[in-house]
Amino acid sequence: LTREIWRRIFRYLLPGSLVQCMKCCKVWLDWISDPIFWPSINLSRYGPIFPDTLKSVVLRQPGEIDLSYCTITRKQCDWLLPRLPNLKTIRLSGLPMNIIGSLNGPLVANLRHIDLRWVDDLNDWGLRDLLSVSSGRDHKPRFRDLQGLQLSGCPLSDDVINNIIRYCPNLKHLDLSYNSNMNDRVVEAICASDLIYSLTKIDFSGCPHVTDKSLLMMKKCYDLTWLDFRSCREVTRGACVRFAHSFKKELIITEDKLIHPPTVDVYLQAS
C-alpha cells in the first residue's frame, strides 16, 4: 500500500492505536508523527512527564493540548509552550498558579481558548496580571483575540469581570460557574460592555447569588445560544422559559435551567 492509502487508514484510528502503530517500524513512526493526525493531545492526569514526552508533543504540533491535573513542572511548561506556535486551545484545570504563569511567555498570543477551571490559587490579581500582559510594541493585551475563557471554581470576586471586559473584548465563551461571588452585578457589567456583541455562551451554573434579574439583562446580548443556570437557586425555571420564548433566536430549556438551541448536542457543547 502507498503512503497516501496508509494515511487514510490511520485517520480512522484513535490516539492510543496510533501510538501502538508508531512502535511497528520507523516508516510508520515517521508517517504517523505528521501533525495532521494530532489535532489535540491529552496529557490530563498524566505523570511523570519526561523530556521525551515533551519532545514528542512538539514533534506533533497539536492545535489543542490538555495538561489538566498532570505533573508538569513550571520549567517544563516554559520550555513546551513557546515551541507550539499552532496552539489554539490549552487546558490547565487544577494546576497551581505557578504553572499557569507560563502563559506570560512571549509566544502564546495565538491562543483562542484557555481553560483554568478549579485553579485553587487563581485570584483577581493573578488573572489580571495574566490577561494584561502586552503582546509587543503596540502595548495591547496579548489575549485581546481570546474567544473562550473557563474559570469555573476559581476563587474570584465579582470585580474580576472588569478585567475580563477590558482585556478580552472578543470573548465568545465565558465560564464563571461554581463561584459564590458571582452575582447580578457581573451580568450588568457584561451587558454594559461590548461583550454583548460577541458572547454566544455563558455559564453561571452553581452560582447561588445570580437571580432572575440577570435573565432580563441578558436579552441585550445579540448572539447568545447557550445559557447555563443549573443549580442557581435564585434563578427560576419560569424566568428561563420567558427568556427562551422572548429571545430573538429559537431556544429551548433542558436539564432544569439549561438554555440552548433545539439542535445542539448538550453533552458535546458542555465541554
Side-chain angles (χ1 to χ4, degrees), residues 238-249:
C240 293
V241 170
R242 290 190 293 273
F243 177 88
H245 288 171
S246 63
F247 199 64
K248 48 187 164 295
K249 295 184 178 181

Side-chain angles (χ1 to χ4, degrees), residues 200-254:
T200 62
K201 181 177 179 181
I202 305 177
D203 190 345
F204 280 112
S205 59
C207 295
H209 301 301
V210 176
T211 73
D212 289 351
K213 181 181 177 181
S214 290
L215 278 166
L216 294 174
M217 292 185 286
M218 282 186 180
K219 291 181 180 180
K220 297 179 181 179
C221 297
Y222 289 79
D223 290 321
L224 278 182
T225 58
W226 180 281
L227 277 170
D228 194 344
F229 288 106
R230 288 174 291 183
S231 300
C232 293
R233 60 173 179 257
E234 297 298 325
V235 176
T236 64
R237 181 176 175 83
C240 293
V241 170
R242 290 190 293 273
F243 177 88
H245 288 171
S246 63
F247 199 64
K248 48 187 164 295
K249 295 184 178 181
E250 184 181 4
L251 299 172
I252 63 172
I253 302 172
T254 58

Side-chain angles (χ1 to χ4, degrees), residues 54 70 184 226 240 257:
L54 300 180
C70 74
D184 294 335
W226 180 281
C240 293
K257 289 175 279 193

Side-chain angles (χ1 to χ4, degrees), residues 112-176:
R112 293 295 177 266
H113 192 110
I114 300 176
D115 181 352
L116 300 177
R117 289 176 291 180
W118 303 103
V119 177
D120 293 338
D121 53 347
L122 175 60
N123 56 29
D124 291 15
W125 294 102
L127 186 64
R128 187 202 64 177
D129 291 344
L130 176 66
L131 298 179
S132 63
V133 176
S134 171
S135 61
R137 294 181 179 178
D138 58 4
H139 300 294
K140 293 182 179 180
R142 71 173 60 214
F143 295 125
R144 60 185 179 276
D145 294 323
L146 193 69
Q147 296 181 1
L149 182 60
Q150 293 180 264
L151 299 168
S152 177
C154 295
L156 302 167
S157 77
D158 56 349
D159 289 331
V160 75
I161 192 61
N162 297 317
N163 289 322
I164 294 174
I165 291 170
R166 179 179 180 183
Y167 299 119
C168 304
N170 297 301
L171 274 183
K172 293 184 178 181
H173 172 197
L174 178 59
D175 178 2
L176 294 171

